[in-house]
Amino acid sequence: MHNGIIDLRSDTVTRPNTEMRKAMAEAEVGDDVYGEDPTINALQEEVAEMFGKEAALFVPSGTMANQICLKAHTQPGDEVIIHPWAHIMRAESGAGAALSSVQFRPVGNPDGSMDVKEVAASIQSGENPHHAPTRLICMENTHNFAGGAVVPVEGIDAVAAVAKENGLAMHLDGARVLNAAVVLDVRPDKIASNFDSGTLCFSKGLGAPVGSIIYGTKNFVNRCLRFRKMFGGGLRQAGILAAAARHALKHNVERLAEDHNNAKLLAAGFEEIKHLSLPKGMPESNLLFFSCGHPKISTERFVAGLKEEGILIGATSGDVARAVTHLDISREDVEQTIAAARRILNN
Ligand code: TLP
């Protein structure tokens, strides 16, 4: 549902529908800083169960979820092995350096996975005083800036085995982990099983207005509780928001497959248009990265042309643009976008 604008900038732009708003209005609430909000407590239990973990903690955003976990896993001066395009390192405003004083060691392949040998070779024990000791490995699934790539469970298992051998913790930026679970057709706990901690965002493809969650052991989540307070993320009667998240888990998970199909439809349409190019084999989920190689129409100009037609595309970085399908984008919207792209490029 939209007001004539087809907004493909992100899956964060979805608006709560009438049923979700009703669930929010009717939510039972209490003061969550006292642990007394029944709707948040129920959500935390559901999510812990879903990911096969002991506990979970509701937090305001995906960025805060990741940064609390980084803080809880590390000491200042520690090293964290992470994909070079990871959201945690690239798009969280330098928070890892500012809030946890960690050093990042980028390791990763263009498909969002990590090479196990490279991971093993990058680990530093801390015995050599010149080196920052490695403490944590962070992965992302689906991997946003790798084109919404889905990292297969075997790829995670191989990295986790190296982590285990070396006594390192594993963290999953699972902002869109349910998209990955739907594509892989596995239960979320299968993806999470080798991670000590993970996150999930309700405010992306799941369609809730606010909220993310951390899952892990009881001890770990207790540590996170302290850092949530320190980072200013303790909320009070936030059961209103947790109700939206619970509604999303009940109604908006299986349908993520529709978003993936719509992204594929958009890709197929763009592939037939001369001058538009997409990475081979993509998209794997709901994010579609593409470029326009027209001699006179840059990617930026093409995106501006779509905007003039009421179609919004994600901010470009370099010569690459991102279109994201979500629960407010229909098959007809995708068809209209393809038709508009043809008009702009005259083919
Ligand atoms: N991603 C946003 C932008 O920040 C790029 C988007 O539109 O995709 N992890 C991943 C993998 C993410 O994609 C995002 C947000 C976050 C964490 C942060 O979540 P929020 O925005 O809730 O802080």
Side-chain angles (χ1 to χ4, degrees):
M1 199 185 66
H2 49 70
N3 313 319
I5 299 285
I6 299 176
D7 195 342
L8 296 161
R9 287 173 301 167
S10 182
D11 45 11
T12 58
V13 301
T14 52
R15 293 182 192 148
N17 63 15
T18 311
E19 294 78 42
M20 186 179 277
R21 286 168 191 261
K22 187 165 182 283
M24 295 171 76
E26 290 172 359
E28 252 189 86
V29 295
D31 190 330
D32 182 54
V33 171
Y34 293 97
E36 288 173 3
D37 188 301
T39 311
I40 293 185
N41 291 341
L43 173 70
Q44 291 175 164
E45 276 167 32
E46 277 164 21
V47 170
E49 152 91 32
M50 183 175 205
F51 288 95
K53 302 293 179 203
E54 287 172 7
L57 184 67
F58 189 57
V59 298
S61 71
T63 299
M64 192 185 279
N66 280 328
Q67 295 303 325
I68 288 173
C69 290
L70 258 191
K71 183 87 180 158
H73 278 301
T74 61
Q75 294 296 322
D78 283 349
E79 198 158 272
V80 175
I81 293 179
I82 190 163
H83 193 282
W85 304 337
H87 194 279
I88 291 180
M89 189 174 80
R90 224 172 103 153
E92 299 189 0
S93 200
L99 304 177
S100 297
S101 305
V102 292
Q103 176 160 291
F104 288 121
R105 164 76 66 114
V107 175
N109 302 318
D111 65 0
S113 68
M114 281 178 170
D115 183 83
V116 185
K117 282 195 189 131
E118 219 185 315
V119 169
S122 305
I123 295 171
Q124 303 185 141
S125 67
E127 273 165 34
N128 181 333
H130 295 87
H131 294 165
T134 313
R135 203 71 69 186
L136 176 69
I137 301 178
C138 291
M139 296 186 82
E140 188 176 312
N141 205 6
T142 63
H143 194 305
N144 186 344
F145 300 126
V150 177
V151 184
V153 176
E154 306 77 60
I156 299 169
D157 291 352
V159 175
V162 177
K164 207 167 184 187
E165 260 169 50
N166 291 276
L168 307 179
M170 291 271 293
H171 171 72
L172 170 68
D173 177 349
R176 298 187 179 83
V177 65
L178 296 184
N179 294 77
V182 166
V183 173
L184 294 170
D185 195 20
V186 297
R187 284 169 40 146
D189 59 352
K190 175 104 175 124
I191 299 181
S193 67
N194 270 317
F195 289 100
D196 300 284
S197 61
T199 64
L200 166 70
C201 290
F202 301 111
S203 56
K204 303 203 161 60
L206 296 181
V210 186
S212 290
I213 201 156
I214 294 168
Y215 38 86
T217 61
K218 264 197 187 121
N219 269 347
F220 181 81
V221 167
N222 268 339
R223 244 175 104 64
C224 289
L225 186 60
R226 167 156 183 250
F227 295 122
R228 184 181 74 174
K229 190 70 193 153
M230 188 187 280
F231 291 176
L235 302 176
R236 304 290 177 174
Q237 287 72 27
I240 287 178
L241 303 175
R246 292 186 75 195
H247 182 87
L249 287 180
K250 203 159 167 197
H251 300 281
N252 295 344
V253 177
E254 274 167 36
R255 63 148 310 285
L256 290 171
E258 279 174 46
D259 300 341
H260 303 158
N261 288 339
N262 279 337
K264 285 201 167 68
L265 187 70
L266 184 60
F270 276 11
E271 257 162 5
E272 280 179 12
I273 299 176
K274 198 168 162 206
H275 303 303
L276 288 185
S277 59
L278 326 166
K280 248 193 147 148
M282 300 307 264
E284 291 180 349
S285 62
N286 66 326
L287 313 181
L288 176 67
F289 287 72
F290 65 91
S291 318
C292 179
H294 190 288
K296 294 209 179 98
I297 305 173
S298 64
T299 305
E300 204 178 339
R301 182 60 220 132
F302 172 68
V303 166
L306 285 174
K307 191 171 178 186
E308 282 158 22
E309 302 227 16
I311 299 166
L312 308 182
I313 300 287
T316 55
S317 98
D319 199 32
V320 179
R322 185 185 77 164
V324 184
T325 53
H326 51 75
L327 112 169
D328 290 344
I329 294 293
S330 65
R331 200 181 160 90
E332 291 69 43
D333 294 331
V334 171
E335 281 159 1
Q336 271 191 49
T337 304
I338 296 167
R342 278 194 186 284
R343 275 197 298 280
I344 293 164
L345 296 171
N346 295 315
N347 69 64

